[in-house]
Amino acid sequence: MGFSWLCLSLSFLVVFHCTFAQQRYQQQQGQCQLNRLNPQEPTVRIQAEAGVTELWDQNNQQFQCAGVSLIRHVIQSRGLLLPSYLNTPLLAYVERGRGFFGIMNSGCPETFQSSQQFQQGERGSGSRFQDRHQKIGQFRQGDIIAFPAGAAHWAYNEGNEELVLVCLEDSGNSANQLDQNSRRFFIAGNPQQGEQQQGQQGGAHSLRKEQFQSGNVFRGFELDLLMEAFGVSRETARKLQGQEDQRGHIVNIDQGLRVVRPPYSQEQEEREERQQQGQYGPSMNGIEETICSAKLRQNIDNPARADFYNPQAGRFTTVNSFTLPILSFLRLSAARGVLYRNSIMAPLWVKNAHSIIYVTKGEARMQIVDHRGQAVLNDRVRQGQVVIVPQNYAVVKHTENDVFEWVAFNTNDNAMINTLSGRTSAIRGMPVDVIANSYQISREEARRLKFNREETLIFSSSGRSRQYETVASA
């Protein structure tokens, strides 16, 4: 039975990969007629007992174009984000803090277990009981965490500072068969109260807002049916519905969350990451991981993992389906960029994905150009803002006095970058004569245009253009 299930799963993945691009195009056809892009900030703030959730306007044309939505959870120390599931895949970036999370897939074994664990609580001090549950994962600042659509999950802040999670929900993914709206289904608590709004929302955005203001899924069931389904008392069934729970969707755990989990060792984790870096590639046959044992997390803040590095200008790190295989199932990827002062990221376009850029630090100038050669964005972007770069739109980032850092979520599990300048760029790949005749310049100037930049992606902006203008005028 297990082998038949595996074959069926692999067949599904083949069909899934073949039809995904076509479905996303059909879903979003006509949505990306964008003449003007603007940096976006959260428009709704939902307060809970132990934190706050901020929502970007999913009904905004730019988010509609990309078929995604974005939320940010700020969880206080010892705060628990209650269990829920979504109709979309979710990719989370840990902007600050540390903690652990659980993900529940029906049918997966309870591999974390204890024979005798000490607990104090309702059963009285000194009582002993057995517990077992599905796998729990640690996370820390800089981690990317992947959650498949429909998988119930929760998160807990075990650190002493606030935990900030920036989450992309991909409603344009073929895993979502409802509509173009992201829906979160809570299975505990009574998310409500404490809302603060900015601006005007309606339609799809109101729907997202209601997810954090209404009851959990048990609330709609009759008490007698819940009692029978779980074999519990009426009082316990009423607690399941959470109608009298006023804590919201993020709750405080006074004594801290006590669960069965192995001790955390950052050194061991980094050692395993280094070992894994040489394990992906053509040798993988696609069945090394099951959905129950799949690795869900990878850190992209570690400078040692940088894919592009310039000691004078910055670094750029990616996580995709080659380094985190479950992303091939989610059809999402991410990247982390750091630009030092007076640096520039080469003009480029992403040929197979939309990019949703969330600024984590600093300020920089960004320009985005569409197919008509018009700048649809020419603005300074700062920490906490989001910029959506549609597929194939050309973009450039430039810093002056600030270190600029960002994380980019991409709507493809292996987002591909094409540069317009630098050692591996489209210009570098052209013959000199083609460049000279295309731009009506001399062969010597064409040679400079082609070979002046030996860097690949990130350049130091040390006034070279101004120096060249001085030499040329002389």
Side-chain angles (χ1 to χ4, degrees), residues 237-312:
R238 188 176 290 110
K239 290 285 188 179
L240 277 177
Q241 293 183 327
Q243 295 191 36
E244 298 177 2
D245 190 342
Q246 300 298 315
R247 298 175 299 170
H249 62 289
I250 306 174
V251 303
N252 184 54
I253 312 297
D254 291 331
Q255 302 301 320
L257 198 63
R258 286 178 268 183
V259 298
V260 180
R261 61 191 177 109
Y264 175 67
S265 170
Q266 183 170 327
E267 293 78 10
Q268 175 66 22
E269 178 192 5
E270 292 174 350
R271 184 160 54 249
E272 291 175 356
E273 282 189 2
R274 289 194 297 269
Q275 292 172 353
Q276 189 185 29
Q277 289 178 20
Q279 294 177 359
Y280 62 86
S283 61
M284 294 185 68
N285 60 20
I287 61 173
E288 284 80 4
E289 294 183 335
T290 67
I291 195 66
C292 298
S293 63
K295 183 181 178 182
L296 303 175
R297 176 183 57 86
Q298 182 167 304
N299 193 277
I300 58 173
D301 266 11
N302 187 351
R305 286 203 63 253
D307 298 300
F308 300 89
Y309 177 65
N310 184 329
Q312 282 74 46

Coordinates of all heavy atoms in Angstrom, one line a residue, residues 237-312:
A237 N -16.3 20.2 25.3 CA -16.8 20.6 23.9 C -17.0 22.1 23.8 O -16.7 22.7 22.8 CB -18.0 19.8 23.6
R238 N -17.5 22.7 24.8 CA -17.8 24.1 24.8 C -16.4 24.9 24.8 O -16.3 25.9 24.1 CB -18.6 24.6 26.0 CG -19.0 26.0 26.0 CD -19.9 26.4 27.2 NE -21.2 25.7 27.1 CZ -21.6 24.7 27.8 NH1 -20.8 24.3 28.8 NH2 -22.8 24.2 27.7
K239 N -15.4 24.3 25.5 CA -14.1 24.9 25.5 C -13.5 24.8 24.1 O -12.7 25.7 23.6 CB -13.2 24.2 26.5 CG -13.5 24.5 27.9 CD -13.1 25.9 28.4 CE -13.2 26.0 29.8 NZ -12.7 27.4 30.3
L240 N -13.7 23.7 23.4 CA -13.3 23.6 22.0 C -13.8 24.7 21.1 O -13.0 25.3 20.3 CB -13.7 22.2 21.4 CG -12.9 21.0 21.7 CD1 -13.6 19.8 21.1 CD2 -11.5 21.1 21.1
Q241 N -15.0 25.1 21.3 CA -15.6 26.2 20.5 C -15.0 27.5 20.9 O -15.0 28.4 20.0 CB -17.1 26.2 20.7 CG -17.8 24.9 20.1 CD -19.3 25.0 20.2 OE1 -19.8 25.5 21.1 NE2 -20.0 24.4 19.2
G242 N -14.6 27.7 22.1 CA -13.9 28.9 22.5 C -14.7 30.2 22.5 O -14.2 31.3 22.3
Q243 N -16.0 30.1 22.6 CA -16.9 31.2 22.5 C -16.6 32.3 23.6 O -16.9 33.5 23.4 CB -18.3 30.8 22.5 CG -18.7 30.0 21.2 CD -20.2 29.8 21.1 OE1 -21.0 30.7 21.4 NE2 -20.6 28.6 20.6
E244 N -16.2 31.8 24.8 CA -15.9 32.7 25.9 C -14.5 33.1 26.0 O -14.1 33.8 26.9 CB -16.4 32.1 27.2 CG -17.9 31.8 27.2 CD -18.3 31.1 28.5 OE1 -17.4 30.8 29.3 OE2 -19.5 30.7 28.6
D245 N -13.7 32.7 25.0 CA -12.2 33.0 25.1 C -12.0 34.4 24.5 O -12.3 34.6 23.3 CB -11.5 31.9 24.3 CG -10.0 32.0 24.4 OD1 -9.5 33.1 24.9 OD2 -9.3 31.1 24.1
Q246 N -11.5 35.3 25.2 CA -11.3 36.7 24.8 C -9.8 37.0 24.5 O -9.5 38.2 24.5 CB -11.9 37.6 25.8 CG -13.4 37.5 26.1 CD -14.2 37.7 24.9 OE1 -14.0 38.7 24.1 NE2 -15.2 36.8 24.6
R247 N -9.0 36.0 24.4 CA -7.5 36.3 24.3 C -7.1 36.6 22.9 O -6.0 37.1 22.7 CB -6.8 35.1 24.8 CG -7.0 34.7 26.2 CD -6.3 33.4 26.6 NE -6.8 32.3 25.8 CZ -6.2 31.1 25.8 NH1 -5.1 30.9 26.5 NH2 -6.7 30.1 25.0
G248 N -7.9 36.3 21.9 CA -7.5 36.6 20.5 C -6.7 35.4 19.9 O -6.8 34.3 20.5
H249 N -6.0 35.6 18.8 CA -5.4 34.5 18.1 C -3.9 34.3 18.5 O -3.3 33.3 18.1 CB -5.4 34.8 16.6 CG -4.7 36.1 16.2 ND1 -5.2 37.3 16.5 CD2 -3.5 36.3 15.5 CE1 -4.3 38.2 16.0 NE2 -3.3 37.6 15.4
I250 N -3.4 35.2 19.4 CA -2.1 35.0 20.0 C -2.2 35.1 21.5 O -2.6 36.1 22.0 CB -1.1 36.1 19.5 CG1 -1.0 36.1 17.9 CG2 0.3 35.8 20.0 CD1 -0.2 37.3 17.4
V251 N -1.9 34.0 22.2 CA -2.2 33.9 23.6 C -0.9 33.8 24.4 O 0.1 33.4 23.9 CB -3.1 32.7 23.9 CG1 -4.4 32.8 23.1 CG2 -2.4 31.4 23.6
N252 N -1.0 34.2 25.7 CA 0.2 34.2 26.6 C 0.2 32.9 27.4 O -0.8 32.5 27.9 CB 0.1 35.4 27.5 CG 1.3 35.5 28.4 OD1 2.4 35.5 27.9 ND2 1.1 35.6 29.7
I253 N 1.4 32.3 27.4 CA 1.6 31.1 28.2 C 2.4 31.5 29.4 O 3.7 31.6 29.3 CB 2.3 30.0 27.4 CG1 1.6 29.8 26.0 CG2 2.3 28.7 28.2 CD1 0.2 29.3 26.1
D254 N 1.8 31.7 30.6 CA 2.5 32.3 31.7 C 3.7 31.5 32.2 O 4.7 32.0 32.5 CB 1.5 32.4 32.9 CG 0.4 33.4 32.6 OD1 0.7 34.4 31.9 OD2 -0.7 33.3 33.1
Q255 N 3.5 30.1 32.2 CA 4.6 29.3 32.7 C 5.5 28.8 31.6 O 6.4 28.0 31.9 CB 4.0 28.1 33.5 CG 3.1 28.5 34.7 CD 3.9 29.3 35.7 OE1 5.0 29.0 36.0 NE2 3.2 30.3 36.3
G256 N 5.3 29.3 30.4 CA 6.1 28.8 29.3 C 5.5 27.5 28.7 O 4.8 26.7 29.4
L257 N 5.7 27.2 27.5 CA 5.2 26.0 26.8 C 6.1 24.8 27.0 O 7.3 24.9 26.7 CB 5.0 26.3 25.3 CG 4.1 25.4 24.5 CD1 2.7 25.6 25.0 CD2 4.1 25.7 23.0
R258 N 5.5 23.8 27.6 CA 6.3 22.6 27.9 C 5.9 21.5 27.0 O 4.8 21.0 27.1 CB 6.2 22.2 29.4 CG 6.9 23.1 30.3 CD 6.7 22.7 31.7 NE 5.6 23.4 32.3 CZ 5.2 23.3 33.6 NH1 5.8 22.5 34.4 NH2 4.2 24.0 34.0
V259 N 6.8 21.1 26.1 CA 6.5 20.1 25.1 C 7.7 19.1 25.0 O 8.8 19.5 25.3 CB 6.1 20.7 23.7 CG1 4.9 21.6 23.7 CG2 7.3 21.5 23.2
V260 N 7.4 18.0 24.4 CA 8.5 17.0 24.2 C 9.3 17.4 23.0 O 8.7 17.5 21.8 CB 7.9 15.6 24.0 CG1 9.0 14.6 23.7 CG2 7.1 15.2 25.2
R261 N 10.5 17.7 23.1 CA 11.4 18.1 22.0 C 12.8 17.9 22.4 O 13.2 18.0 23.5 CB 11.2 19.6 21.6 CG 11.4 20.6 22.7 CD 10.9 22.0 22.3 NE 11.2 22.9 23.4 CZ 12.0 23.9 23.3 NH1 12.8 24.0 22.3 NH2 12.2 24.8 24.3
P262 N 13.7 17.7 21.4 CA 15.1 17.5 21.7 C 15.8 18.8 22.0 O 15.3 19.8 21.7 CB 15.7 16.9 20.4 CG 14.7 17.4 19.3 CD 13.4 17.4 20.0
P263 N 16.9 18.7 22.7 CA 17.6 20.0 23.0 C 18.1 20.6 21.8 O 18.5 20.0 20.8 CB 18.8 19.5 23.9 CG 19.0 18.1 23.6 CD 17.6 17.5 23.3
Y264 N 18.1 22.0 21.8 CA 18.5 22.7 20.6 C 20.0 23.0 20.6 O 20.6 23.4 21.6 CB 17.8 24.1 20.6 CG 18.2 25.0 19.5 CD1 17.9 24.7 18.1 CD2 18.8 26.2 19.7 CE1 18.3 25.5 17.1 CE2 19.2 27.1 18.7 CZ 18.9 26.7 17.4 OH 19.3 27.6 16.4
S265 N 20.7 22.7 19.5 CA 22.1 23.0 19.4 C 22.3 23.7 18.0 O 22.2 23.1 17.0 CB 22.9 21.7 19.4 OG 24.2 21.9 19.0
Q266 N 22.6 25.0 18.1 CA 22.9 25.8 16.9 C 24.1 25.3 16.2 O 24.1 25.2 14.9 CB 23.0 27.2 17.2 CG 23.2 28.1 16.0 CD 23.1 29.6 16.4 OE1 22.4 30.0 17.3 NE2 23.9 30.4 15.7
E267 N 25.1 24.8 16.9 CA 26.3 24.3 16.3 C 26.0 23.0 15.4 O 26.5 22.9 14.3 CB 27.4 24.0 17.3 CG 27.9 25.2 18.1 CD 27.0 25.7 19.1 OE1 26.0 25.0 19.4 OE2 27.3 26.8 19.7
Q268 N 25.2 22.1 16.0 CA 24.9 20.9 15.3 C 24.1 21.3 14.0 O 24.2 20.7 13.0 CB 24.1 20.0 16.2 CG 23.5 18.7 15.5 CD 24.6 17.8 15.1 OE1 25.7 17.9 15.6 NE2 24.3 17.0 14.1
E269 N 23.1 22.2 14.2 CA 22.3 22.6 13.0 C 23.2 23.2 11.9 O 23.0 22.9 10.7 CB 21.3 23.7 13.5 CG 20.4 24.2 12.3 CD 19.6 25.4 12.7 OE1 19.8 25.9 13.8 OE2 18.8 25.9 11.9
E270 N 24.1 24.1 12.3 CA 25.0 24.6 11.2 C 25.9 23.6 10.6 O 26.1 23.6 9.4 CB 25.8 25.7 11.9 CG 25.0 27.0 12.3 CD 25.9 28.0 13.0 OE1 27.0 27.7 13.4 OE2 25.4 29.1 13.3
R271 N 26.3 22.6 11.4 CA 27.1 21.5 10.8 C 26.3 20.7 9.8 O 26.7 20.3 8.7 CB 27.6 20.6 11.9 CG 28.6 19.5 11.4 CD 29.4 19.0 12.6 NE 28.6 18.6 13.7 CZ 28.6 19.2 14.9 NH1 29.3 20.3 15.1 NH2 27.9 18.8 15.9
E272 N 25.0 20.4 10.1 CA 24.1 19.7 9.2 C 23.9 20.5 8.0 O 23.8 19.9 6.9 CB 22.8 19.3 9.9 CG 23.0 18.3 11.1 CD 21.7 18.0 11.8 OE1 20.7 18.8 11.5 OE2 21.7 17.2 12.7
E273 N 23.7 21.8 8.1 CA 23.5 22.6 6.9 C 24.7 22.6 6.0 O 24.5 22.5 4.8 CB 23.2 24.1 7.3 CG 21.8 24.3 7.8 CD 21.6 25.8 8.0 OE1 22.5 26.6 7.7 OE2 20.5 26.2 8.5
R274 N 25.9 22.6 6.5 CA 27.1 22.5 5.7 C 27.2 21.2 5.0 O 27.6 21.1 3.8 CB 28.3 22.8 6.5 CG 28.5 24.2 7.0 CD 29.9 24.4 7.5 NE 30.2 23.6 8.7 CZ 30.0 24.0 10.0 NH1 29.5 25.2 10.2 NH2 30.3 23.2 11.0
Q275 N 26.8 20.1 5.7 CA 26.8 18.8 5.1 C 25.8 18.7 4.0 O 26.1 18.1 2.9 CB 26.6 17.7 6.2 CG 27.7 17.6 7.2 CD 27.3 16.7 8.3 OE1 26.2 16.2 8.4 NE2 28.3 16.4 9.2
Q276 N 24.6 19.3 4.2 CA 23.6 19.2 3.2 C 23.9 20.0 1.9 O 23.4 19.6 0.9 CB 22.2 19.7 3.8 CG 21.1 19.3 2.9 CD 19.8 19.9 3.5 OE1 19.8 20.9 4.1 NE2 18.7 19.3 3.1
Q277 N 24.7 21.0 2.0 CA 24.9 21.8 0.9 C 25.5 21.1 -0.3 O 25.3 21.4 -1.5 CB 25.8 23.0 1.2 CG 25.2 24.1 2.1 CD 26.1 25.2 2.5 OE1 27.1 25.4 1.8 NE2 25.8 25.9 3.5
G278 N 26.2 20.0 0.0 CA 26.8 19.2 -1.1 C 25.9 18.0 -1.5 O 26.3 17.2 -2.3
Q279 N 24.7 17.9 -0.9 CA 23.9 16.7 -1.2 C 22.8 16.9 -2.2 O 22.1 16.0 -2.6 CB 23.2 16.3 0.1 CG 24.2 15.8 1.2 CD 23.6 15.4 2.5 OE1 22.4 15.5 2.6 NE2 24.4 14.9 3.4
Y280 N 22.5 18.2 -2.6 CA 21.5 18.4 -3.6 C 22.0 18.4 -5.0 O 23.2 18.5 -5.2 CB 20.7 19.7 -3.3 CG 21.5 20.9 -3.4 CD1 21.8 21.6 -4.6 CD2 22.1 21.5 -2.3 CE1 22.5 22.7 -4.7 CE2 22.9 22.6 -2.4 CZ 23.1 23.2 -3.6 OH 23.8 24.4 -3.7
G281 N 21.2 18.2 -6.0 CA 21.6 18.2 -7.4 C 21.1 17.1 -8.1 O 20.1 16.4 -7.7
P282 N 21.7 16.7 -9.3 CA 21.2 15.7 -10.1 C 21.1 14.3 -9.5 O 20.3 13.5 -9.9 CB 22.2 15.7 -11.3 CG 22.8 17.0 -11.3 CD 22.9 17.4 -9.8
S283 N 21.9 14.1 -8.4 CA 21.9 12.8 -7.8 C 20.6 12.5 -7.0 O 20.3 11.3 -6.7 CB 23.1 12.6 -6.8 OG 23.0 13.6 -5.8
M284 N 19.8 13.5 -6.7 CA 18.6 13.3 -6.0 C 17.5 12.8 -6.9 O 17.4 13.2 -8.1 CB 18.1 14.7 -5.4 CG 19.1 15.2 -4.3 SD 18.4 16.7 -3.5 CE 17.0 16.0 -2.6
N285 N 16.8 11.8 -6.5 CA 15.8 11.2 -7.3 C 14.4 11.6 -7.0 O 13.4 11.1 -7.5 CB 15.9 9.7 -7.3 CG 15.7 9.1 -5.9 OD1 15.1 9.8 -5.0 ND2 16.1 7.9 -5.6
G286 N 14.2 12.6 -6.0 CA 12.9 13.1 -5.7 C 12.1 12.4 -4.7 O 11.0 12.9 -4.3
I287 N 12.6 11.3 -4.1 CA 11.8 10.6 -3.1 C 12.6 10.4 -1.8 O 12.3 9.6 -1.0 CB 11.4 9.2 -3.7 CG1 12.6 8.3 -4.0 CG2 10.5 9.3 -4.8 CD1 12.3 6.9 -4.4
E288 N 13.6 11.3 -1.6 CA 14.4 11.2 -0.4 C 13.5 11.6 0.8 O 13.8 11.2 1.9 CB 15.6 12.1 -0.4 CG 16.8 11.5 -1.3 CD 16.5 11.7 -2.8 OE1 15.6 12.4 -3.1 OE2 17.3 11.2 -3.6
E289 N 12.5 12.5 0.6 CA 11.7 13.0 1.7 C 10.3 12.6 1.5 O 9.8 12.6 0.4 CB 11.8 14.5 1.7 CG 13.2 15.0 2.1 CD 13.2 16.5 2.2 OE1 12.4 17.2 1.6 OE2 14.1 17.1 3.0
T290 N 9.6 12.3 2.6 CA 8.2 12.1 2.6 C 7.6 13.4 3.2 O 8.3 14.2 3.7 CB 7.7 10.9 3.4 OG1 8.0 11.2 4.8 CG2 8.4 9.7 2.9
I291 N 6.3 13.6 3.1 CA 5.7 14.8 3.6 C 5.9 14.9 5.1 O 5.9 15.9 5.7 CB 4.3 14.9 3.2 CG1 3.7 16.4 3.4 CG2 3.4 13.9 3.9 CD1 4.3 17.4 2.5
C292 N 6.0 13.7 5.7 CA 6.1 13.6 7.2 C 7.5 14.0 7.7 O 7.7 14.5 8.8 CB 5.8 12.2 7.7 SG 4.0 11.8 7.4
S293 N 8.6 13.6 6.9 CA 9.9 13.9 7.3 C 10.6 15.0 6.6 O 11.8 15.2 6.8 CB 10.8 12.6 7.1 OG 10.8 12.3 5.8
A294 N 9.9 15.7 5.7 CA 10.5 16.7 4.9 C 11.1 17.8 5.8 O 10.5 18.3 6.7 CB 9.5 17.3 3.9
K295 N 12.3 18.3 5.4 CA 12.9 19.5 6.0 C 12.1 20.7 5.6 O 11.8 20.9 4.4 CB 14.3 19.6 5.6 CG 15.0 20.8 6.3 CD 16.5 20.9 5.9 CE 17.1 22.2 6.5 NZ 18.5 22.4 6.1
L296 N 11.7 21.5 6.6 CA 10.8 22.7 6.3 C 11.5 24.0 6.5 O 10.9 25.0 6.2 CB 9.6 22.6 7.3 CG 8.8 21.4 7.3 CD1 7.7 21.4 8.4 CD2 8.1 21.2 5.9
R297 N 12.8 24.0 6.9 CA 13.4 25.3 7.3 C 14.8 25.4 6.8 O 15.5 24.4 6.7 CB 13.3 25.4 8.8 CG 14.0 26.5 9.5 CD 13.9 26.4 11.0 NE 14.5 25.2 11.4 CZ 15.8 25.0 11.7 NH1 16.7 26.0 11.5 NH2 16.3 23.9 12.1
Q298 N 15.2 26.6 6.4 CA 16.6 26.9 6.1 C 16.9 28.3 6.4 O 16.1 29.2 6.1 CB 16.9 26.6 4.6 CG 18.3 26.8 4.2 CD 18.6 26.2 2.8 OE1 18.4 25.0 2.6 NE2 19.1 27.0 1.9
N299 N 18.1 28.5 6.9 CA 18.5 29.9 7.3 C 19.2 30.6 6.1 O 20.0 30.0 5.5 CB 19.5 29.9 8.5 CG 19.6 31.2 9.1 OD1 20.4 32.0 8.7 ND2 18.9 31.5 10.1
I300 N 18.8 31.8 5.8 CA 19.4 32.6 4.7 C 20.1 33.8 5.2 O 20.4 34.7 4.4 CB 18.3 32.9 3.6 CG1 17.2 33.7 4.2 CG2 17.8 31.6 3.0 CD1 16.2 34.2 3.1
D301 N 20.2 34.0 6.5 CA 20.9 35.1 7.0 C 22.4 34.9 7.2 O 23.2 35.8 7.3 CB 20.4 35.5 8.4 CG 19.3 36.6 8.3 OD1 18.9 36.9 7.1 OD2 18.9 37.2 9.3
N302 N 22.8 33.6 7.2 CA 24.2 33.3 7.4 C 25.1 33.7 6.2 O 24.9 33.3 5.1 CB 24.4 31.8 7.6 CG 25.8 31.4 8.0 OD1 26.7 32.2 8.0 ND2 25.9 30.1 8.4
P303 N 26.0 34.7 6.4 CA 26.9 35.1 5.3 C 27.6 34.0 4.6 O 27.9 34.1 3.4 CB 27.8 36.2 5.9 CG 27.1 36.6 7.2 CD 26.3 35.4 7.7
A304 N 27.9 33.0 5.4 CA 28.7 31.9 4.8 C 27.9 31.1 3.7 O 28.5 30.4 2.9 CB 29.1 30.9 5.9
R305 N 26.6 31.3 3.7 CA 25.7 30.6 2.7 C 25.5 31.5 1.4 O 24.7 31.1 0.6 CB 24.4 30.3 3.3 CG 24.4 29.1 4.2 CD 23.0 28.4 4.3 NE 22.6 27.9 3.0 CZ 21.7 28.4 2.2 NH1 21.1 29.6 2.6 NH2 21.3 27.9 1.1
A306 N 26.1 32.7 1.4 CA 25.8 33.6 0.3 C 26.1 32.9 -1.1 O 27.2 32.3 -1.3 CB 26.7 34.9 0.5
D307 N 25.3 33.2 -2.0 CA 25.5 32.7 -3.4 C 26.3 33.7 -4.2 O 27.0 33.3 -5.1 CB 24.1 32.5 -4.1 CG 23.3 31.4 -3.4 OD1 23.8 30.2 -3.4 OD2 22.2 31.7 -3.0
F308 N 26.1 35.0 -3.9 CA 26.9 36.1 -4.5 C 27.5 36.9 -3.3 O 26.7 37.3 -2.4 CB 26.1 36.9 -5.4 CG 25.4 36.2 -6.5 CD1 24.2 35.6 -6.4 CD2 26.1 36.1 -7.8 CE1 23.6 34.9 -7.4 CE2 25.5 35.4 -8.8 CZ 24.3 34.8 -8.6
Y309 N 28.8 37.2 -3.4 CA 29.4 38.0 -2.3 C 30.4 38.9 -2.9 O 31.3 38.5 -3.7 CB 30.0 37.0 -1.3 CG 30.7 37.8 -0.2 CD1 30.1 38.6 0.7 CD2 32.1 37.7 -0.1 CE1 30.7 39.3 1.7 CE2 32.8 38.3 1.0 CZ 32.1 39.1 1.8 OH 32.7 39.8 2.8
N310 N 30.3 40.2 -2.5 CA 31.3 41.2 -2.9 C 31.7 41.9 -1.6 O 30.8 42.6 -1.0 CB 30.7 42.2 -3.9 CG 31.7 43.2 -4.3 OD1 32.6 43.6 -3.6 ND2 31.6 43.7 -5.5
P311 N 32.9 41.7 -1.1 CA 33.3 42.3 0.2 C 33.1 43.8 0.3 O 33.0 44.4 1.4 CB 34.7 41.9 0.4 CG 35.2 41.3 -0.8 CD 34.0 41.0 -1.7
Q312 N 33.1 44.5 -0.8 CA 32.9 45.9 -0.8 C 31.5 46.4 -1.0 O 31.1 47.5 -0.8 CB 33.8 46.6 -1.9 CG 35.2 46.7 -1.6 CD 36.0 45.4 -1.7 OE1 35.8 44.6 -2.6 NE2 36.8 45.1 -0.7

